[in-house]
Amino acid sequence: MTTIEQDVQTLRIAKTETIAAAPDVVWESLLHHMGPGTEFEPGRTMKMTFEAFPGGRWFRDLGDGAGHLWGHVQVIKPGKVLEMCGP
């Protein structure tokens, strides 16, 4: 009989940031910066799209059918929770 043992490891990273703004303003700003407001240098957008619903995609459209998938929305509770998974 063969026994296979496997160690399971989890890495959890959390960052807490205090922002001097109303929660709804912060939420809308977050969605904007994940989508059309994403810039790689001032005035040049990365053409990101963020679909704010469960199963929605977060991706970069390079045109001509090319692009990058950055993640999928797992959980979204507007103004409170955004959980995503992706490569």
Side-chain angles (χ1 to χ4, degrees), residues 22-28 30-31 76-82:
D24 58 328
V25 172
V26 174
W27 182 259
E28 290 304 317
L30 171 71
L31 297 185
I76 188 165
K77 297 178 183 177
K80 297 180 189 235
V81 176
L82 176 59

Side-chain angles (χ1 to χ4, degrees), residues 7-42:
D7 289 331
V8 177
Q9 298 179 357
T10 300
L11 173 63
R12 179 167 288 193
I13 299 172
K15 180 180 179 183
T16 301
E17 185 110 10
T18 301
I19 302 172
D24 58 328
V25 172
V26 174
W27 182 259
E28 290 304 317
S29 178
L30 171 71
L31 297 185
H32 175 73
H33 286 287
M34 290 180 71
T38 303
E39 295 182 340
F40 59 90
E41 59 183 49

